[in-house]
């Protein structure tokens, strides 16, 4: 199977491409094989020391797993998670380990496509490899890995999973159009997929395309089981659009339809009320959060701010001291500011 994959790879790679020998030699010299797809095969030959490291890795896997293919699947998932976290180097290392275990795993090649899609400029590639400057070599073009993945993906399962990560993550790297394209491709497969709709809305939000994000969130209301989460995001979008009354309306809807342990809309509502100078209305909401989780210093800090806003300084200081005792640094800073202002104020 490895020979078959290598043949496919060469067939795709050699068409209209030339090797950048200087860059490849630099990668080999610095031992950064694990930061490029397939450890650089077939363009870079591993030294003996790296082959020995690979063999030790395979021995450990054979001891811990019944099948290498099972281990490969786990390493693909790790690679996807690291990509989502923005750690491209560790993501590539996990995909390469998966490839070492199973060269026929479609998810590996879709993973290569993810990382290489982000490394699409000399500056990003240079920072990634830690080189002063580097050309983008055609040998590692992202799209050919996607093509290889599709050839190996029997039921589109690996492709769909990868598109989910692409849809949610490309915009984090500033590649908004790629993110949108992946979201829309995923929706063609299932227009009611709530994860994709959420990721699409998030992409529009990162682009500050508030009306488009709002449209997608409202569309997802028809499909989401727990609509409190959608109401919170709709409220947040309205707040970013400076439509504070609508934001308040939807935060209250999210609070009403959610369990007390869903703190996000409650805290968001409190800060919105501070912005609207209606802090007194938010105090019961933050009190309910404190009752549910009394050891969270941030809640006590929020209560202190709301009390200050409501001209209840004495009670505010008590709340802030509780927050400070629980380790909240913001409360500590605010208490210092209050003390300083008191010292400077005329008698």
């Amino acid at each position: 199977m490895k020979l078959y994959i290598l043949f496919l790879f060469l067939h795709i790679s050699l068409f209209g491409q030339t090797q950048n020998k200087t860059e490849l030699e630099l990668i080999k010299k610095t031992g950064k094989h694990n930061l490029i797809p397939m450890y650089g095969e077939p363009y870079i030959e591993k030294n003996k020391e790296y082959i020995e490291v690979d063999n030790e890795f395979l021995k450990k896997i054979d001891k811990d797993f019944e099948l290498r293919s099972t281990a490969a699947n786990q390493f693909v998932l790790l690679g996807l998670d690291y990509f989502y976290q923005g750690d491209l180097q560790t993501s590539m290392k996990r995909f390469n380990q998966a490839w070492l275990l199973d060269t026929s795993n479609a998810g590996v090649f879709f993973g290569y496509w993810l990382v290489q899609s982000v490394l699409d400029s000399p500056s990003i590639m240079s920072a990634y490899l830690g080189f002063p400057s580097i050309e983008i070599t055609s040998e590692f073009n992202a799209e050919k890995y996607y093509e290889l993945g599709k050839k190996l993906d029997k039921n589109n399962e690996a492709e769909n999973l990868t598109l989910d990560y692409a849809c949610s993550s490309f915009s984090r790297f500033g590649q908004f159009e790629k993110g949108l394209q992946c979201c829309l491709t995923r929706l063609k497969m299932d227009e009611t997929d709530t994860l994709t709709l959420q990721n699409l809305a998030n992409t529009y939000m990162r682009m500050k395309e508030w009306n488009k994000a709002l449209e997608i969130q409202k569309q997802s209301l028809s499909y989401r089981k727990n609509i409190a989460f959608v109401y919170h995001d709709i409220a947040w979008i309205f707040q970013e659009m400076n439509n504070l009354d609508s934001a308040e309306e939807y935060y209250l809807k999210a609070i009403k339809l959610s369990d007390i342990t869903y703190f996000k809309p409650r805290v968001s509502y409190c800060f919105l009320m501070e912005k609207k100078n209606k802090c007194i209305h938010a105090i019961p909401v933050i009190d309910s959060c404190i009752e549910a989780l009394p050891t969270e210093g941030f809640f006590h800090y929020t209560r202190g701010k709301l009390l200050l806003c409501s001209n209840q300084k004495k009670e505010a200081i008590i709340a802030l001291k509780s927050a400070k005792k629980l380790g909240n640094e913001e409360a500590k800073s605010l208490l210092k500011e209050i003390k300083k202002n008191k010292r400077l104020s005329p008698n």
Side-chain angles (χ1 to χ4, degrees):
M1 179 60 77
K2 184 173 182 179
L3 289 174
Y4 171 70
I5 297 300
L6 194 57
F7 171 78
L8 279 176
F9 185 87
L10 284 168
H11 176 73
I12 296 169
S13 300
L14 296 177
F15 182 73
Q17 298 182 6
T18 58
Q19 296 183 16
N20 189 322
K21 292 183 179 179
T22 302
E23 308 297 353
L24 295 174
E25 287 171 2
L26 183 57
I27 291 169
K28 181 178 180 178
K29 183 179 179 181
T30 54
K32 296 187 176 181
H33 311 66
N34 59 354
L35 295 182
I36 56 178
M38 298 165 60
Y39 297 100
E41 285 194 21
Y43 311 110
I44 300 176
E45 185 178 352
K46 281 186 182 178
N47 295 332
K48 183 180 178 181
E49 60 184 295
Y50 297 114
I51 295 174
E52 290 175 355
V53 170
D54 288 347
N55 289 335
E56 287 300 315
F57 169 72
L58 292 172
K59 283 180 185 178
K60 186 177 186 309
I61 292 296
D62 290 338
K63 182 180 178 182
D64 295 341
F65 291 86
E66 186 175 343
L67 296 172
R68 287 185 180 182
S69 58
T70 302
N73 288 331
Q74 293 199 19
F75 277 92
V76 167
L77 292 175
L78 284 171
L80 291 170
D81 285 339
Y82 278 111
F83 181 81
Y84 180 78
Q85 294 170 35
D87 187 345
L88 296 178
Q89 289 187 336
T90 307
S91 177
M92 179 62 80
K93 290 175 183 178
R94 298 296 86 83
F95 290 135
N96 271 331
Q97 287 174 314
W99 177 80
L100 193 64
L101 291 164
D102 182 5
T103 60
S104 65
N105 188 306
V108 171
F109 295 96
F110 286 121
Y112 289 154
W113 167 74
L114 281 175
V115 178
Q116 294 303 122
S117 292
V118 175
L119 302 175
D120 67 345
S121 75
S123 60
I124 296 174
M125 179 67 85
S126 296
Y128 171 78
L129 289 172
F131 295 158
S133 63
I134 191 170
E135 295 295 326
I136 301 177
T137 59
S138 58
E139 288 79 5
F140 307 116
N141 174 268
E143 295 307 317
K144 70 181 179 184
Y145 295 110
Y146 199 97
E147 186 175 336
L148 282 167
K150 286 184 73 68
K151 288 178 183 294
L152 294 166
D153 197 15
K154 296 177 181 177
N155 53 11
N156 300 114
E157 194 172 307
E159 181 182 15
N160 291 347
L161 178 61
T162 307
L163 285 173
D164 284 337
Y165 278 87
C167 173
S168 66
S169 304
F170 274 153
S171 62
R172 297 169 184 263
F173 296 101
Q175 301 198 11
F176 301 110
E177 291 304 322
K178 285 183 183 178
L180 289 176
Q181 183 180 357
C182 292
C183 291
L184 295 174
T185 299
R186 190 70 179 87
L187 282 176
K188 286 180 182 177
M189 302 171 188
D190 181 3
E191 64 180 12
T192 69
D193 186 79
T194 55
L195 175 62
T196 305
L197 287 168
Q198 183 62 54
N199 288 331
L200 178 58
N202 288 342
T203 300
Y204 280 127
M205 284 190 276
R206 292 189 186 109
M207 297 172 69
K208 301 189 184 303
E209 295 275 0
W210 306 119
N211 286 320
K212 290 181 180 179
L214 192 60
E215 180 184 344
I216 298 300
Q217 291 289 10
K218 288 184 176 180
Q219 180 183 341
S220 70
L221 284 172
S222 304
Y223 311 118
R224 289 286 288 269
K225 290 182 179 179
N226 193 333
I227 60 174
F229 296 104
V230 185
Y231 281 147
H232 172 270
D233 288 348
I234 290 174
W236 188 84
I237 293 169
F238 275 127
Q239 188 170 336
E240 290 298 307
M241 296 170 71
N242 207 33
N243 187 339
L244 302 188
D245 289 340
S246 292
E248 180 180 351
E249 175 189 349
Y250 278 91
Y251 280 138
L252 288 172
K253 285 184 177 182
I255 291 169
K256 183 179 180 181
L257 293 173
S258 63
D259 185 83
I260 182 58
T261 55
Y262 182 37
F263 297 118
K264 197 172 182 180
R266 291 162 171 82
V267 172
S268 297
Y269 172 77
C270 289
F271 284 108
L272 176 65
M273 291 299 98
E274 183 183 15
K275 188 173 184 177
K276 294 183 72 174
N277 200 26
K278 294 166 62 177
C279 297
I280 194 74
H281 297 287
I283 292 173
V285 175
I286 200 63
D287 284 345
S288 67
C289 295
I290 292 172
E291 185 178 352
L293 190 59
T295 58
E296 177 51 63
F298 181 73
F299 293 161
H300 293 273
Y301 162 73
T302 303
R303 187 174 196 274
K305 288 195 72 181
L306 293 171
L307 288 165
L308 277 178
C309 170
S310 303
N311 296 316
Q312 300 180 56
K313 188 174 180 180
K314 185 177 179 180
E315 292 83 354
I317 291 173
I318 293 171
L320 291 170
K321 285 182 177 179
S322 296
K324 178 183 175 182
K325 189 175 180 180
L326 290 166
N328 184 270
E329 291 296 322
E330 293 168 297
K332 184 178 178 181
S333 298
L334 186 52
L335 283 168
K336 284 183 179 179
E337 186 180 334
I338 292 170
K339 188 176 181 180
K340 179 182 177 181
N341 290 339
K342 183 178 180 181
R343 229 179 17 247
L344 295 174
S345 63
N347 294 329

